[in-house]
Amino acid sequence: MGYADPRDASYIASANQPHADTLATDYAHLGAQLERRGIRIDDVTRAVANFKVAIPSWGVGTGGTRFGRFPGIGEPRNVFEKLEDCAVIHKLTGATPTVSLHLPWDRTDDWKALRERGATLGLGFDAMNSNTFQDQADQKQSYKFGSLTHVDPATRAQAVAHNIDCIEAGKQLGSRALTVWIGDGANFPGQSNLARAFERYLESARQIYAALPADWRMFIEHKMYEPAFYATVIQDWGSSLMAAQALGPKAFCLVDLGHHAPNVNIEMIVARLVHAQRLGGFHFNDSKYGDDDLDAGSIEPFRLFLVFNELVEAELAKTPNFSPAHMLDQSHNVTDPIESLMTSAIELQRAYAQALIVDRQALRDHQSANDVLMAAQTLKRGFTTDVSPILAQARVSRGAAIDPVSAYRASGYRAECGRNRPGKQSLGGGII
Ligand code: LRH
Ligand code: MN
């Protein structure tokens, strides 16, 4: 199979050719349907085309679990190769212009070159992610018993220094946010003092906060469990919100969809964080049981729609301080990461488009009249409308592919990476 660069505009244009007429027909048909509902399809398409989500650099390599990892061919071996793959995702979807890096996994000694290569590929850098949940070879203090909340001041200082180091790297890349997720916690009752651990968290986080440039934000990511299996210091949105409010106006709460117990009403958490004006952003993925990091919209698409319904409500309410940073955070254990990330970005756009076409006035009226059934039906009608033509038209308006996965497969990019990225892949366990 020959190879054509799927990032090339003329390649994408020729890949779109066979689909153009069908899309025009389907788009006109949906347009007529929405017109009858008083909705201008082009307005929705424009909003969807402006929707952006960041790619997690750690998501373009094959993920794994503690039981094993089965790498595919042509795995990216460093942050520069990860960037090449991220550019394929952005060129074919038009929806992912930024990459979120994770240190030290993405450390390089030439941030300037990385920033320039990014610019050449049409990519910028989103929130930086620190890592004090693993010990690095040259590390003095171990994070076995915690990092920012460790009982030993020297270990806390080491963790604070790493976070400040991430800010310094981000400044050279044009990033404007730091995401702090820590695995700190306890496996057994009595192992740690729950109150003091939170106080130590605040003491450390204040030092990181103080190092933030004026135009930066700090995202606090809560997680119910894992790696701690009894108590996690920042276990839920309440702890995250208390910390953000204690730190200051540049601190916000980041919602990773997989970090909640099954059946938790995540859209309610979003509504509360919007009310508190502390919704910093999302790590989108999906899950059935734990922090499964599956593809967004693959298990609970209705829940994803309900989250975007809250975001559209917040937009319409002109909520102050409301500019959530959207990111994907997934682990691709059995699919081609590029295909999963493209389809996941599109599933977010789908949930957004579905939320945008909800008849808000009718919904308000039914809610004020306590017409429960009609209110539920009016909301659900957004979800049950096939908005695929809008998503494809939004891609075309961005010079992207009508059918990204087919265009990607036909390009032979993965096989080409296999040829250009020789070398044995580690089979060990772990998410990357
Ligand atoms: C923790 C988490 C966090 C990342 C890591 C890769 O589960 O969601 O956002 O640092 O995954
Ligand atoms: Mn996450």
Side-chain angles (χ1 to χ4, degrees):
M1 187 159 95
Y3 167 64
D5 187 339
R7 297 166 293 192
D8 176 69
S10 58
Y11 171 80
I12 296 173
S14 60
N16 283 349
Q17 229 305 310
H19 306 290
D21 298 350
T22 315
L23 174 57
T25 311
D26 295 351
Y27 191 76
H29 175 66
L30 178 59
Q33 268 185 301
L34 294 179
E35 191 77 35
R36 287 197 299 276
R37 297 188 210 176
I39 296 163
R40 279 196 303 277
I41 190 170
D42 289 346
D43 294 351
V44 182
T45 303
R46 207 169 301 110
V48 167
N50 292 332
F51 177 88
K52 303 286 169 244
V53 59
I55 296 287
S57 63
W58 59 96
V60 285
T62 298
T65 72
R66 58 186 167 169
F67 301 105
R69 192 175 81 92
F70 307 90
I73 64 163
E75 295 267 316
R77 299 164 298 178
N78 55 56
V79 66
F80 285 88
E81 290 182 352
K82 291 176 183 178
L83 223 51
E84 301 300 319
D85 294 0
C86 291
V88 172
I89 298 163
H90 183 46
K91 293 296 181 190
L92 292 177
T93 64
T96 61
T98 57
V99 181
S100 189
L101 299 188
H102 216 301
L103 299 188
W105 297 337
D106 297 320
R107 186 170 299 296
T108 173
D109 46 25
D110 192 344
W111 296 121
K112 186 166 168 303
L114 186 67
R115 184 172 187 167
E116 281 160 7
R117 181 61 186 156
T120 309
L121 291 167
L123 295 172
F125 294 92
D126 212 292
M128 302 296 287
N129 294 267
S130 60
N131 176 344
T132 59
F133 51 85
Q134 291 172 326
D135 286 349
Q136 307 306 317
D138 56 357
Q139 204 173 294
K140 288 199 188 43
Q141 323 287 340
S142 170
Y143 293 136
K144 178 173 180 177
F145 297 112
S147 61
L148 296 178
T149 74
H150 198 290
V151 291
D152 167 31
T155 306
R156 299 200 297 274
Q158 176 183 275
V160 167
H162 166 68
N163 278 276
I164 294 174
D165 183 36
C166 291
I167 294 171
E168 290 314 312
K171 280 155 66 174
Q172 298 178 65
L173 291 168
S175 170
R176 299 245 319 282
L178 172 71
T179 296
V180 181
W181 169 71
I182 57 170
D184 294 26
N187 276 8
F188 302 95
Q191 176 183 342
S192 79
N193 179 300
L194 302 180
R196 301 242 172 78
F198 187 64
E199 283 149 19
R200 289 193 296 271
Y201 175 85
L202 291 178
E203 176 220 309
S204 297
R206 283 199 184 92
Q207 296 166 54
I208 299 169
Y209 187 90
L212 290 174
D215 61 352
W216 273 52
R217 298 190 289 176
M218 179 172 166
F219 299 143
I220 299 169
E221 182 177 3
H222 61 273
K223 183 175 182 180
M224 184 174 72
Y225 79 101
E226 188 204 41
F229 292 107
Y230 163 63
T232 293
V233 178
I234 304 297
Q235 176 150 0
D236 52 29
W237 70 279
S239 305
S240 176
L241 182 58
M242 287 166 65
Q245 291 171 331
L247 290 172
K250 290 188 280 187
F252 294 83
C253 306
L254 183 143
V255 178
D256 184 314
L257 271 60
H259 288 187
H260 306 87
N263 306 327
V264 161
N265 189 326
I266 297 176
E267 58 271 22
M268 170 74 88
I269 294 172
V270 172
R272 294 292 173 274
L273 292 175
V274 166
H275 176 84
Q277 298 181 20
R278 293 290 176 153
L279 178 65
F282 291 89
H283 278 180
F284 287 111
N285 48 54
D286 214 334
S287 50
K288 189 156 183 61
Y289 305 105
D291 186 20
D292 310 339
D293 283 339
L294 299 172
D295 294 7
S298 62
I299 306 289
E300 300 254 16
F302 189 53
R303 178 174 70 179
L304 186 62
F305 161 73
L306 294 173
V307 166
F308 275 86
N309 178 53
E310 292 306 324
L311 298 179
V312 167
E313 287 281 1
E315 268 179 23
L316 293 171
K318 302 208 174 347
T319 306
N321 236 346
F322 177 74
S323 63
H326 299 306
M327 286 167 273
L328 290 165
D329 180 3
Q330 300 175 179
S331 179
H332 310 109
N333 305 353
V334 292
T335 58
D336 181 317
I338 290 177
E339 294 184 358
S340 275
L341 288 163
M342 290 195 295
T343 48
S344 300
I346 293 166
E347 286 315 301
L348 300 185
Q349 290 181 316
R350 183 183 308 283
Y352 185 40
Q354 290 167 332
L356 286 171
I357 64 174
V358 170
D359 184 337
R360 298 280 155 193
Q361 192 48 57
L363 182 60
R364 298 258 180 289
D365 299 346
H366 296 317
Q367 288 169 339
S368 329
N370 288 316
D371 185 339
V372 176
L373 184 111
M374 284 313 296
Q377 287 298 306
T378 301
L379 178 63
K380 192 130 182 242
R381 195 173 188 206
F383 178 70
T384 55
T385 302
D386 179 3
V387 295
S388 303
I390 287 173
L391 310 182
Q393 190 57 37
R395 291 193 291 277
V396 167
S397 73
R398 289 271 175 217
I402 291 173
D403 182 344
V405 171
S406 306
Y408 168 69
R409 291 185 175 188
S411 75
Y413 181 83
R414 179 56 67 192
E416 181 70 6
C417 289
R419 286 185 286 273
N420 302 341
R421 298 171 182 174
K424 245 185 81 33
Q425 308 293 345
S426 66
L427 294 181
I431 61 169
I432 61 152

